[in-house]
Amino acid sequence: MTASHPAPAHVLSRHAPSFLAADVGGTHVRVARVQASGDAAHPVQVLDYRKYRNADHAGLAAILSDFLGDSARPSHCVVATAGYAREDGTVITANVPWPLSARQIEAEVGVQRVHIVNDFEAVAYAAAQVDASGVLHLCGPDSAARGPTLVVGPGTGLGAALWIPTPNGPVVLATEAGQPTLAASTALEMDIVRHMQHERAHVSIEHALSGPGLMNLYRAVCALQGAAPQLGSPDAVTAAAMSGSDAHARQALDVFCGLLGSTIGDMALFYGAHGGVYLAGGILPQIREYLRASTFVERYLQKGPMGEALARIPVKVVEHGQLGVIGAASWFLLHHPA
């Protein structure tokens, strides 16, 4: 990763203490021991990094304790997670399998202070530093004038945050963009939404645009065509769709890509993201070429007269496995200067 803007002066300490950064998703937790690097181009140095499956552990405290082993406990740990952090250190989340509490983690792990930040707020701090070698360009110009930049990612849920440059440093607006109502545009999409409404009164964006959402689309396509679902995971659906071995999987992934394009176009207009759009992490790296060849761009631009404005916004897929922990660390360094 390469910084597009200089790191704040406090990032450049020569004797920066290490701290923990964790990215907590619905399926995996990524943990790193990090420190300020002293390099303005790469402000976060990753000293050690591991990825854990949530299902194998009783909670985040158990994962952090395993990661640290018998080593000395750092003073600080920053946790990026899907959801909304309350002032008491607990988190409201629909996608993480166990309760999260900063105070409980402090007590169980022995870390002096745990800080919790929205996962896509953290990712936005990192994505703003990604250079051309870390992305797949989907549409729009190669670059745009410095301005609000939207970061969106379909994973276990759908996260989004807006990176806003200011004279005093960047501000990131965390959102719950996966929770508003899903907007359908085609006859098939409307039929799918009606089918989903049999199980829930509110069909949110992430009920379609996420890993579980892709499964919802696949099962709905099968039901509408009177077929029994044969595939049991998002990975299986994407693999079958890309190989052409399952027509229902292919139709579900086509719907996914079209809805994603339409929704990203909506978000870019909502948030005035003329600085660019980054699609980060989740299932997108697996379908990058499929996405490029899909109706994503057509649907993204299908906004009447506003299509011309959207065509001026770069839209790119971010490819960096450690983006979440680097973003969490970047957030900590910005908000807790030494």
Side-chain angles (χ1 to χ4, degrees), residues 182-312:
L182 178 67
S185 297
T186 70
L188 175 59
E189 290 169 4
M190 293 175 190
D191 288 341
I192 288 172
V193 169
R194 280 192 286 268
H195 177 80
M196 290 182 177
Q197 287 174 331
H198 294 158
E199 299 179 354
R200 54 180 66 85
H202 173 229
V203 178
S204 70
I205 290 171
E206 71 175 28
H207 282 137
L209 297 180
S210 61
L214 179 59
M215 290 305 301
N216 292 336
L217 294 176
Y218 169 69
R219 286 191 288 264
V221 166
C222 289
L224 291 170
Q225 298 183 14
Q230 301 297 315
L231 305 170
S233 72
D235 286 345
V237 172
T238 56
M242 290 188 292
S243 69
S245 62
D246 187 302
H248 299 110
R250 192 171 186 88
Q251 191 168 30
L253 191 57
D254 286 344
V255 170
F256 178 94
C257 292
L259 282 171
L260 183 64
S262 185
T263 301
I264 296 302
D266 288 344
M267 291 182 181
L269 294 175
F270 288 154
Y271 298 120
H274 57 262
V277 175
Y278 288 109
L279 305 179
I283 68 173
L284 297 182
Q286 303 170 50
I287 65 167
R288 49 176 290 178
E289 295 304 326
Y290 196 100
L291 185 66
R292 193 207 293 267
S294 74
T295 61
F296 173 91
V297 173
E298 175 188 345
R299 290 285 298 275
Y300 166 77
L301 296 172
Q302 202 173 74
K303 302 297 177 188
M306 288 295 102
E308 181 180 348
L310 290 175
R312 299 173 184 166

Side-chain angles (χ1 to χ4, degrees), residues 9 23 66 105 116 134 142 171 197 210 233 261 266 298 314 324 338:
D23 175 30
D66 179 83
I105 294 169
I116 294 181
D142 289 337
V171 173
Q197 287 174 331
S210 61
S233 72
D266 288 344
E298 175 188 345

Side-chain angles (χ1 to χ4, degrees), residues 53-135:
R53 288 183 68 248
N54 295 1
D56 296 338
H57 301 275
L60 181 57
I63 290 173
L64 296 177
S65 295
D66 179 83
F67 178 85
L68 289 167
D70 296 329
S71 65
R73 271 36 184 171
S75 296
H76 295 275
C77 172
V78 55
V79 177
T81 182
Y84 175 78
R86 299 185 180 99
E87 290 186 6
D88 65 359
T90 59
V91 179
I92 302 171
T93 177
N95 297 315
V96 176
W98 2 259
L100 287 177
S101 165
R103 306 293 84 80
Q104 183 178 353
I105 294 169
E106 290 165 359
E108 293 184 10
V109 180
V111 176
Q112 184 177 352
R113 186 69 174 172
V114 172
H115 314 265
I116 294 181
V117 60
N118 175 270
D119 58 342
F120 267 81
E121 180 179 1
V123 167
Y125 282 105
Q129 304 171 36
V130 174
D131 66 9
S133 66
V135 300

